[in-house]
Amino acid sequence: MPKKKIREIAKKYGYQRLKKYRQWDDVHFSAEVNGIVIVINIESGELYERNPFTKLLVKKLEVR
């Protein structure tokens, strides 16, 4: 599991202190940040935040 690459992508979006890493498939990984689950596509560098109420993934924009 490429934890370093996951942390680097999450940092671009303003997330730090990741824990509970999980692998969904070859390119999608999830991690927990302060009770929020984020899903990262390591090939494209996209990050999604999981909405706990609707169980949907919401695409996030990079922080500049």
Side-chain angles (χ1 to χ4, degrees):
M1 181 178 303
K3 288 185 180 181
K4 184 174 182 180
K5 188 167 187 173
I6 293 169
R7 283 194 304 265
E8 289 172 358
I9 294 171
K11 192 170 185 178
K12 289 181 191 175
Y13 291 88
Y15 291 100
Q16 296 176 346
R17 299 185 183 182
L18 304 176
K19 58 184 177 182
K20 293 188 181 178
Y21 295 90
R22 292 186 180 94
Q23 183 172 0
W24 288 24
D25 57 27
D26 292 340
V27 295
H28 293 95
F29 294 86
S30 69
E32 186 177 319
V33 183
N34 298 331
I36 300 169
V37 176
I38 59 171
V39 179
I40 299 171
N41 182 335
I42 59 170
E43 280 189 355
S44 65
E46 295 176 331
L47 185 138
Y48 301 91
E49 189 174 291
R50 184 175 172 268
N51 184 333
F53 301 108
T54 61
K55 308 293 193 252
L56 296 175
L57 297 175
V58 180
K59 187 175 180 180
K60 301 303 274 186
L61 299 174
E62 282 189 42
V63 176
R64 297 187 195 260

